Amino acid sequence: APQLVTDGMAEKEILCKYKRSHSAMNTNPVVPSFALLAGKVDGGGSFCEDPVELAKTIGLTGEVMVWVNDESDSEGEKASLAQVELILDLMPARVGGPGFSSNAKVYDWLDKGATKVVVSYSESQLGFLDGVPKDRISILITVQGSTEEGATLAGGRQLKEAMNEISYYADSIMMKFQDPAAPLDRTAVEKAKEALSKGMRLALLDAASNTDDVGWTDSIGVESVLCKKMQDGSLPLEQALGAALVSDRPDGLIPTVVVDEDLVSLGLCYSNLQSVREAVVRRVGVYWSRTRGLWIKGLTSGATQELLRIDLDCDRDAMRFVVRQSGVGFCHMEQMSCFGDDHGTLGALMRTLIDRKKNAPAGSYTKRLFDDPALLKSKLLEECEELLAAEDTKEVAWETADVVYFAFAACARHEVNLAQVQRNLARKALRVRRRPGNAKPAGWKPGDPSPDKDTAAGS
């Protein structure tokens, strides 16, 4: 049997003891975070130095927060921002740091696909955010404590006195405490939440000291953004994530829907704290069998799973594991899904094409396309023309299928999978400045000037 990371843990650990409020609107209980300096991860500890590898390791919750600690426009900042772009190729990320202090830079990084830009609060100094969509901005505040009147900002001003300005520019606040080593001041958190304008959300930066703090903050709809406590090993991701889970089952198990990268359901499993921790540390599909106990998928069959993301549902009593399935599939009947084969899905098509590149049978037309790029180009252009000429709905659907096949063949030829295509679609959807979409002139080639110029925000 493999050595388990959970060997020695208590047989029965307690799930979250707090009842989640129906008004809790945070999606993630935990957002992993790290800082960059001159293109490398700053601070050492349990974090590796490579930002991209670290993001892969701790980004299982679906989003990371990246701080760029370099001085604005320095060579170090350029190196760090280059790493941020690589991270955005992989997953959603929020960005922040001292250099994000101009309208142009904030717009640039929202257009590059950052989910939010985090800007430090300074009274009457937020005017550079004019015009930026407020749902893409989070304001970082420092709180020293609370009084009967409410949460008190560093310097003594009441948070509620600053809310008009903050809520004008942002729809969320990220809050840190002046003394990060002190126990979580839950009263100050509650006072800060009360001060929020309607619809605003609150996140805490490195304020949760333990799993109980994470469970409590999540129960009231507040995110825990964890950096230093993950980095020094005092609050690992696998413990923080498990701290938000609840169960209404007598056996305490958490129903876990398993899906592939295209979010097609592969099957239903069960999890507990031990299996979740094993899954996070190993980054593979690990579940809890109701008959056999801890179950590392594929350990004996070879049909292993790479764990890509863990999503908790809104009530925290169910999970979704997004995995990259290998081998004959998830099901014991040697098919991809326990619900039957997924013929016709985009994911199935892409997997087939990628397999053809490596294992094409004799006479494979797809293999011929891979070997003859001129033919692939000609067929893709031909099918695009036929799609544009189609008029009735049946014909449009038929020709679209042909275009998708040849476009996916072009992807597979370059070993680009569907997840990479979807990630680029997601980043494009996050642009806040839209291009006119003018046609490129005849003879245009990559590297020539674009006929488009960025325009004001809008679609």
Side-chain angles (χ1 to χ4, degrees):
Q3 181 66 34
L4 304 179
V5 299
T6 46
D7 278 355
M9 68 183 284
E11 281 188 19
K12 289 187 177 180
E13 288 202 77
I14 299 174
L15 295 168
C16 183
K17 64 185 181 183
Y18 301 100
K19 183 175 176 61
R20 186 164 159 82
S21 166
H22 283 292
S23 63
M25 297 298 291
N26 58 315
T27 302
N28 296 322
V30 176
V31 178
S33 177
F34 58 93
L36 300 182
L37 190 65
K40 295 183 178 180
V41 176
D42 190 25
S46 65
F47 286 178
C48 68
E49 212 174 51
D50 185 322
V52 174
E53 288 304 312
L54 178 60
K56 290 178 183 177
T57 302
I58 67 174
L60 284 177
T61 58
E63 186 178 24
V64 293
M65 173 72 223
V66 185
W67 302 98
V68 178
N69 285 346
D70 306 272
E71 291 185 14
S72 183
D73 299 323
S74 65
E75 291 301 314
E77 186 192 50
K78 292 177 183 177
S80 293
L81 292 177
Q83 293 297 316
V84 174
E85 287 220 52
L86 295 176
I87 292 167
L88 287 171
D89 284 338
L90 296 175
M91 66 186 66
R94 307 173 196 180
V95 296
F100 293 91
S101 56
S102 71
N103 185 277
K105 184 170 283 187
V106 170
Y107 261 119
D108 283 346
W109 282 93
L110 293 179
D111 283 344
K112 289 176 188 290
T115 52
K116 281 184 181 288
V117 172
V118 181
V119 175
S120 295
Y121 176 68
S122 182
E123 185 178 354
S124 302
Q125 298 297 315
L126 298 178
F128 69 92
L129 294 174
D130 281 337
V132 180
K134 63 189 295 183
D135 64 326
R136 303 289 297 282
I137 298 296
S138 186
I139 303 298
L140 176 65
I141 62 171
T142 302
V143 168
Q144 64 181 24
S146 63
T147 65
E148 289 186 1
E149 294 182 10
T152 308
L153 298 174
R157 190 182 185 205
Q158 290 294 310
L159 173 59
K160 62 184 179 182
E161 296 173 359
M163 279 309 304
N164 282 341
E165 182 182 14
I166 291 173
S167 63
Y168 180 81
Y169 291 107
D171 78 342
S172 65
I173 287 177
M174 188 175 294
M175 175 172 132
K176 65 178 181 178
F177 283 93
Q178 198 165 20
D179 181 4
L184 177 62
D185 185 341
R186 297 188 178 188
T187 301
V189 175
E190 290 172 331
K191 294 287 188 181
K193 200 164 184 294
E194 290 171 4
L196 297 180
S197 298
K198 185 177 180 180
M200 292 190 73
R201 300 189 185 188
L202 179 65
L204 298 182
L205 174 60
D206 273 331
S209 300
N210 49 52
T211 55
D212 191 69
D213 286 343
V214 173
W216 176 77
T217 54
D218 183 60
S219 73
I220 63 170
V222 176
E223 287 181 330
S224 290
V225 180
L226 299 178
C227 180
K228 297 185 185 304
K229 295 195 172 54
M230 283 183 58
Q231 195 163 14
D232 67 17
S234 61
L235 190 53
L237 175 62
E238 62 271 17
Q239 293 184 21
L241 192 62
L245 291 170
V246 299
S247 177
D248 57 4
R249 293 172 54 94
D251 57 12
L253 296 178
I254 312 294
T256 304
V257 179
V258 186
V259 302
D260 68 9
E261 294 170 273
D262 203 26
L263 302 186
V264 173
S265 178
L266 302 180
L268 174 67
C269 297
Y270 293 89
S271 301
N272 61 12
L273 290 180
Q274 184 179 1
S275 67
V276 169
R277 292 186 184 185
E278 290 287 343
V280 171
V281 172
R282 293 171 177 272
R283 295 186 59 81
V284 299
V286 182
Y287 311 100
W288 191 264
S289 167
R290 290 167 293 172
T291 56
R292 301 190 303 272
L294 194 72
W295 171 33
I296 303 175
K297 173 61 181 170
L299 193 63
T300 55
S301 68
T304 57
Q305 295 176 340
E306 178 186 355
L307 181 58
L308 305 177
R309 194 172 79 240
I310 298 177
D311 299 320
L312 276 61
D313 85 330
C314 56
D315 293 323
R316 305 301 191 240
D317 59 359
M319 291 188 293
R320 179 173 66 184
F321 274 29
V322 183
V323 303
R324 182 173 293 134
Q325 180 69 53
S326 65
V328 295
F330 177 77
C331 184
H332 74 284
M333 297 175 64
E334 297 191 353
Q335 57 189 15
M336 183 59 69
S337 170
C338 289
F339 300 101
D341 290 326
D342 58 346
H343 298 305
T345 68
L346 296 180
L349 172 61
M350 185 67 92
R351 286 193 298 273
T352 298
L353 293 175
I354 291 174
D355 180 71
R356 289 289 187 272
K357 183 171 173 60
K358 302 173 182 176
N359 306 299
S364 166
Y365 179 68
T366 301
K367 179 67 162 57
R368 183 183 166 199
L369 292 173
F370 293 151
D371 294 340
D372 188 347
L375 174 63
L376 176 56
K377 176 181 178 180
S378 175
K379 291 299 297 182
L380 183 53
L381 292 173
E382 173 189 314
E383 297 300 340
C384 287
E385 290 287 349
E386 291 180 2
L387 171 59
L388 294 173
E391 295 185 354
D392 65 67
T393 55
K394 183 177 181 179
E395 188 180 8
V396 169
W398 181 269
E399 298 301 341
T400 298
D402 286 341
V403 170
V404 169
Y405 165 75
F406 286 104
F408 277 25
C411 289
R413 181 172 178 267
H414 293 283
E415 299 185 359
V416 172
N417 61 35
L418 183 58
Q420 291 169 284
V421 175
Q422 291 170 325
R423 180 69 200 124
N424 276 277
L425 286 171
R427 288 184 66 179
K428 291 173 185 288
L430 287 169
R431 283 185 62 91
V432 291
R433 295 176 296 192
R434 304 298 183 186
R435 296 188 176 97
N438 297 323
K440 296 180 175 66
W444 185 94
K445 57 185 182 299
D448 290 349
S450 170
D452 290 342
K453 292 182 179 179
D454 283 342
T455 59
S459 57

